Amino acid sequence: MKKGFTLVEILIVIGIMSILFNAVIVALNPQALFKNARDTQRLSDIAVIRSALLFYLSQSPNPSLENSPSFVCGTNFGASSADAASSPFVAPTLAHGGVRSIDGTGWIPIDLESLEIGSIAQSLPIDPVNNSEFFYAYSCDQTNLKFELNAKLESEKFQQGEDQDKHASDAGDNDQHYEIGTSLIL
């Protein structure tokens, strides 16, 4: 008598394996995992920028939050974007020359390079998606030396899940963006 599997047994095993595979994919939800990872990166990026700006304000003898002739606090935000005309926040894009530079020509117009903060930030980060919906933004109040950084979060974990709604609970004035800085109402 020959030993082996019948075609029906093989098909049953393949069917069970495909059901288990689909259940694992649904349970893991890779799209949600990617959104969580991007949001974690966003939170980390703007925290690093905030630290660099606070260091700059504490170490610079004459700090200016608008060290660029093309950037004036209170009148514009961030760097450049396709949606600049329709949004109060302006997203930095890779197409914009020098957007990541920390020498004052990047999307934050402050010369952070002069304070040798290379250990804090070697270049300005950009949003992991970086489009007209998801971007980082900077605004300031030069008179009171206050600044605000913004990022829009996309994962349910940070919008309504276990970490609460970071957009609404950050004490800022914009429930569509996560805000951090020295003033959250700019």
Side-chain angles (χ1 to χ4, degrees):
M1 182 179 229
K2 293 184 178 181
K3 292 185 180 184
F5 297 106
T6 66
L7 182 58
V8 172
E9 292 171 329
I10 292 173
L11 290 175
I12 290 172
V13 169
I14 290 173
I16 291 171
M17 287 177 58
S18 67
I19 290 170
L20 290 174
F21 177 75
N22 287 331
V24 167
I25 292 297
V26 169
L28 290 180
N29 192 355
Q31 187 176 17
L33 292 175
F34 285 128
K35 287 179 180 182
N36 288 345
R38 288 190 297 264
D39 280 352
T40 301
Q41 183 64 48
R42 288 178 179 106
L43 295 172
S44 173
D45 285 348
I46 64 172
V48 167
I49 297 169
R50 179 180 178 266
S51 295
L53 292 176
L54 290 173
F55 181 77
Y56 167 77
L57 288 172
S58 70
Q59 298 299 313
S60 179
N62 297 312
S64 174
L65 297 174
E66 56 184 18
N67 276 346
S68 169
S70 62
F71 187 95
V72 178
C73 286
T75 63
N76 52 11
F77 297 80
S80 67
S81 172
D83 73 326
S86 64
S87 174
F89 297 103
V90 186
T93 63
L94 288 173
H96 185 270
V99 74
R100 300 189 71 188
S101 177
I102 61 170
D103 65 0
T105 62
W107 66 271
I108 294 182
I110 299 172
D111 184 5
L112 300 172
E113 208 171 47
S114 64
L115 293 177
E116 299 176 4
I117 63 161
S119 61
I120 297 174
Q122 296 178 353
S123 66
L124 295 173
I126 57 172
D127 187 272
V129 174
N130 198 37
N131 61 19
S132 61
E133 184 177 3
F134 297 101
F135 52 86
Y136 301 146
Y138 165 79
S139 60
C140 57
D141 172 359
Q142 177 59 36
T143 305
N144 299 309
L145 292 177
K146 305 278 186 192
F147 67 90
E148 177 181 318
L149 299 165
N150 294 269
K152 184 172 183 181
L153 306 177
E154 62 181 313
S155 71
E156 286 185 28
K157 174 182 178 184
F158 293 111
Q159 288 185 0
Q160 57 196 341
E162 59 203 56
D163 289 345
Q164 299 178 332
D165 183 353
K166 288 202 177 282
H167 290 156
S169 66
D170 61 12
D173 61 348
N174 186 334
D175 287 346
Q176 301 302 310
H177 291 86
Y178 176 64
E179 302 159 283
I180 124 181
T182 56
S183 175
L184 305 183
I185 56 170
L186 296 176

